[in-house]
Amino acid sequence: MKFKFLTALLLTSFFATGSFAQTKEERKKEAELAKIREEVYSSGDKDFDITSVPEKWKNESAVILCQKLTQIFDKTGADYGIGSNKGIATTEILRKRIKLQDKKAVDDFSEYYFQSTDNIGVRIIKPNGSKSDVKMSDAVEVKSNTDVPSLYRTYYSFSTKYKKIAIPDLQVGDIIDYFYKVSDQSYLPGVNFYPFNDVIISLCNTYPTLKQKIEFKIEKRFYINIKSVNGAPTLKPQSNDETFFVYTLTDTDREKFYDERWVFPYRSTPTIKYQVFYVQNKSTSTNYAIGEPGVPKTSITADEAVEQMKGIYQDSKNMFVMGAASYVYDCVSDKLGKETDPVKIATQAYYCLRGYFSTPGIYESFPGYLDQPYEVVKDAVTNKDMYNAENNTISDEYFVQIMAMALRRKKVPFNVAFAVPRRIGNMDEAILANEFLWSIYLEGKQPFFMTPLDYYSHPKDPDYRIEGVEAYVINPKASSKDKSYKTIKIPATTAEDNVTIEKSNVTIDANMEFTTLKRNITVKGHNKDPYFESTLMQMDYMDAEMTAYGLKPRYVYKGKKDKVAELDKAVKATKDEVAKDRLDNLKKELEGDGWEVESYDTFKVISDGRNPQKQNVVYEDSFKAKNMVKKVGPNYVFDVGKLIGSQLQIKEDEQTRHYDIYMNNPRSFTYEIQVTIPEGYKVEGIDKLNMNLDNATGSFVSSAKVEGTTLTITAAKVYKTNYEPKANWPEMIKFLDEAYKFTQAKVVFKKA
């Protein structure tokens, strides 16, 4: 009996401390969620009672009937219980009501995504008015945030974790009414000024929106900078209480965002930009241009912008910045000795920093040598990421700080420039400090801007993000009383600066089964960018980079000699695997471009574009394609137009343009093709290859001729500008259509 009693007691204890405790916690969370759900769904907001859709949107897949975003910024909301110290808190509450109008919408919403939070509710409202709440405990974590559709992303709280849940039994006509509440809190003892993250929001959603509202509740020691552009409504003050300033922004009858190519949403759609600041008291000094308590600041003058940027710019105490600047200074001194030419010094400093920055991470982890156990060393130096394709960019802030420190020590005069990237807007519309992109500006006989570098860039490379825009240029070390600055327009590139030249020799086997292309491809300017990721590996330049810039050796293993030989063999095997992966990836790229590739046979880098004297990317390759030639009766039809690769096809639903056309840069593509005519055949139909369409927006020009046994084809496609108003879209379509039409052209091989 005692044994049974003890067993019962243990079981009782288990349930009390184990499963029952867990159930209690679940009940507490459910009670909290029920309270929030009641607050949200019983708010009395009549705008969320709407169930009907305007006639003009009856054919849309879904319609957002109403959505409201509430953002709360406060200091009292995050009490960490440490004496009287408080934290900084932001809370985001979003409610959205969406009506599903076709099967596609039903399918799209059958899987619902949300930021990982317990404070969330999803309610399904049927056409008959019945309501049911989705059980969120069955949700699973999303492996990659890139899988989360933009519709579900939070506006302000940038969590790295999202979940998804299946919503069963959805039907056309259903309404999804969902909300979430997320908070970010930070304990900041002694801080009397704090800038919150800045945010840019387009008011155009995935679906048309009947009504949307944004409410800011900002504690009275907080300030807000906010600007509405492109026709967005402005912020309106509401009744305030003792603690908060309250502002609202209301937008109605907003059309959906049209997913067109070459669009900068923040330039083309109604957009708001804002940033909130905590300021302890009026005497608190800040480097930011902020307004008055209770009065949103909606613009900044040029003088304010310059003063703000001068205040933010300063010699960094960041260890990475100081270490990199010291290295750059020593590197320049070693390379140039007592050289005094500012341009030569600045140019060399740029290349030294590029070398330092593009060194694989292994050398940061094991500085000087790899004095580690053999297996640790082997795992490190046989990591494929060490040798694979990569092209990271250093931030403009770090770039300017490092270069400024090094140049100042070398007594090289320089200025700091800042400009608003084209994708965001222009100087007149700026309100956020982070809207500006920084660069170094050097004056002289040939002034130039040095913008943030990457693994393959050069000092005078233009930055497509700020080409052709106005920049403010300041002396960063001028006295605080010196508010002088000058405005300079950053030069823009042309189609002749950004060029791809593809030369191909084409042969067809005797059985008319396979077509072999041997290509030489030269790329310059901005056209190089995609080639860095696909064709160039770190292993192509790693050893040369280490030697050129006095960086650490590949590895030094202080172990037994036989292990060193094994290590060398393992590294070679890894590099061989990376080289094979490159061929496989290039083959996949060709297949993605419409080729049916039988085999990708050779690849050779002639120039990686990193050498100051050889800045173009040049490589050669060869591959074998099938189904380019088809037998038709006694003759063979050759898909000759495909030799320039796939070209953009403007489909019927793209004929109407909703937004202006913003491209990164002008560019051109030239094809020089020589086809060896199969022995015993002649070619007919080359007149179809002669095209000439040229207008102000771009051109496509091609020609063909036969000389002996060779068919020679030349073609050139040119995008002449980086911007066109939407009214010019029909003109762009003309040359784009001509290029696509060329790809459909065929010639006939007939017996001679």
Side-chain angles (χ1 to χ4, degrees), residues 255-524:
E255 294 290 343
K256 68 181 179 182
F257 176 74
Y258 293 91
D259 189 14
E260 298 176 337
R261 67 184 79 247
W262 302 321
V263 175
F264 288 170
Y266 301 143
R267 298 293 300 272
S268 303
T269 64
T271 297
I272 63 167
K273 305 180 285 188
Y274 64 90
Q275 184 171 21
V276 173
F277 306 89
Y278 163 69
V279 183
Q280 177 66 32
N281 53 59
K282 290 183 178 180
S283 62
T284 300
S285 176
T286 78
N287 291 323
Y288 289 81
I290 58 177
E292 298 295 327
V295 181
K297 187 172 181 59
T298 59
S299 64
I300 55 175
T301 66
D303 287 343
E304 285 177 319
V306 169
E307 185 175 0
Q308 174 177 255
M309 303 315 282
K310 284 180 69 174
I312 295 173
Y313 173 88
Q314 55 187 324
D315 288 337
S316 175
K317 303 302 181 184
N318 180 284
M319 295 300 293
F320 167 73
V321 171
M322 292 191 291
S326 179
Y327 165 78
V328 170
Y329 172 83
D330 292 340
C331 176
V332 172
S333 299
D334 180 62
K335 294 284 185 183
L336 299 183
K338 297 182 179 180
E339 178 65 61
T340 59
D341 185 326
V343 173
K344 290 182 180 179
I345 293 173
T347 298
Q348 186 59 65
Y350 187 99
Y351 284 123
C352 287
L353 179 56
R354 190 190 71 176
Y356 182 88
F357 175 64
S358 60
T359 305
I362 184 73
Y363 306 102
E364 296 175 13
S365 302
F366 301 92
Y369 55 85
L370 294 176
D371 188 10
Q372 300 286 331
Y374 172 75
E375 291 301 328
V376 174
V377 177
K378 182 178 178 181
D379 288 345
V381 299
T382 58
N383 184 342
K384 288 168 63 174
D385 289 341
M386 282 278 294
Y387 310 100
N388 231 319
E390 192 171 0
N391 188 30
N392 292 331
T393 302
I394 192 171
S395 74
D396 59 319
E397 179 183 358
Y398 278 169
F399 171 76
V400 167
Q401 288 176 340
I402 294 168
M403 290 293 291
M405 281 187 182
L407 294 178
R408 190 173 293 115
R409 287 186 64 188
K410 297 298 293 184
K411 295 181 170 51
V412 172
F414 66 91
N415 289 318
V416 170
F418 55 96
V420 176
R422 294 175 58 239
R423 68 176 182 83
I424 296 178
N426 54 51
M427 290 289 197
D428 294 336
E429 297 173 342
I431 194 68
L432 311 172
N434 280 346
E435 286 186 77
F436 297 106
L437 189 152
W438 294 59
S439 60
I440 296 287
Y441 179 70
L442 284 96
E443 296 183 297
K445 294 181 180 179
Q446 294 182 321
F448 63 97
F449 292 85
M450 287 198 299
T451 55
L453 54 76
D454 59 38
Y455 290 1
Y456 298 93
S457 60
H458 297 276
K460 296 183 181 180
D461 280 356
D463 190 324
Y464 68 83
R465 295 174 295 178
I466 52 175
E467 281 192 18
V469 309
E470 297 285 332
Y472 291 143
V473 176
I474 62 174
N475 179 351
K477 285 300 179 180
S479 68
S480 58
K481 296 181 181 179
D482 182 5
K483 300 184 185 302
S484 62
Y485 64 92
K486 55 185 174 183
T487 304
I488 297 178
K489 189 171 185 178
I490 300 174
T493 59
T494 67
E496 288 72 31
D497 297 316
N498 309 307
V499 181
T500 301
I501 302 171
E502 184 175 314
K503 298 180 179 180
S504 302
N505 287 305
V506 182
T507 57
I508 302 167
D509 73 325
N511 296 323
M512 299 290 198
E513 185 177 3
F514 299 114
T515 301
T516 298
L517 284 83
K518 294 183 179 180
R519 305 186 302 176
N520 177 285
I521 297 177
T522 299
V523 196
K524 68 177 183 176

Side-chain angles (χ1 to χ4, degrees), residues 21-37 117-120 137 163:
Q22 180 64 37
T23 302
K24 184 177 180 180
E25 182 65 27
E26 289 178 351
R27 288 176 178 174
K28 180 180 178 181
K29 288 183 178 180
E30 181 57 36
E32 291 174 350
L33 177 57
K35 181 180 178 182
I36 297 172
R37 185 186 294 121
T117 176
D118 292 327
N119 299 326
I120 184 166
S137 59
K163 291 183 176 180

Side-chain angles (χ1 to χ4, degrees), residues 155-169:
Y155 288 84
Y156 189 86
S157 300
F158 307 108
S159 170
T160 57
K161 293 183 179 180
Y162 277 80
K163 291 183 176 180
K164 65 179 179 180
I165 189 169
I167 301 180
D169 304 323

